[in-house]
Amino acid sequence: PRHKCGNQKSCPPNHFAFKIISGAANVVGPSICFDDKILMSSLKNNIGRGLNIALVNGADGKLLKTGIFDMYSG
C-alpha cells in the first residue's frame, strides 16, 4: 500500500505525515513533504542553499509560510 509522503508506514490517527529530504550538493535539491503535499522542492522553484523552512499550522496542517536562510553568505 502507498503511504503519505512515500513513508514506509502510515501515521496514527490525528497525526500528520511528513518527509524531509536534505538533497545532495548541487545534484539533488532538498524537498519537504507534509501530509502528502510537496511544500518545497526544485520543481516548485522555492528552495535554495542553506536552511529551507516551512511553517505549518499544527492544528489544521495548512502551510503558512516558506523561507530560505542562506547560512553560507551570512
Side-chain angles (χ1 to χ4, degrees):
R2 186 191 178 297
H3 304 287
K4 289 184 178 181
C5 291
N7 289 326
Q8 293 180 354
K9 294 189 215 177
S10 291
C11 291
N14 300 320
H15 287 74
F16 293 111
F18 70 93
K19 188 174 199 174
I20 300 172
I21 300 172
S22 65
N26 292 334
V27 180
V28 178
S31 67
I32 299 175
C33 176
F34 184 82
D35 205 31
D36 224 19
K37 295 178 195 107
I38 300 295
L39 303 182
M40 299 183 81
S41 73
S42 56
L43 293 176
K44 289 183 152 284
N45 199 27
N46 64 350
I47 59 168
R49 77 175 175 190
L51 300 175
N52 293 276
I53 307 284
L55 179 63
V56 177
N57 183 321
D60 60 15
K62 292 191 180 184
L63 178 65
L64 300 175
K65 187 176 183 179
T66 61
I68 303 165
F69 299 95
D70 187 345
M71 303 300 287
Y72 181 76
S73 69

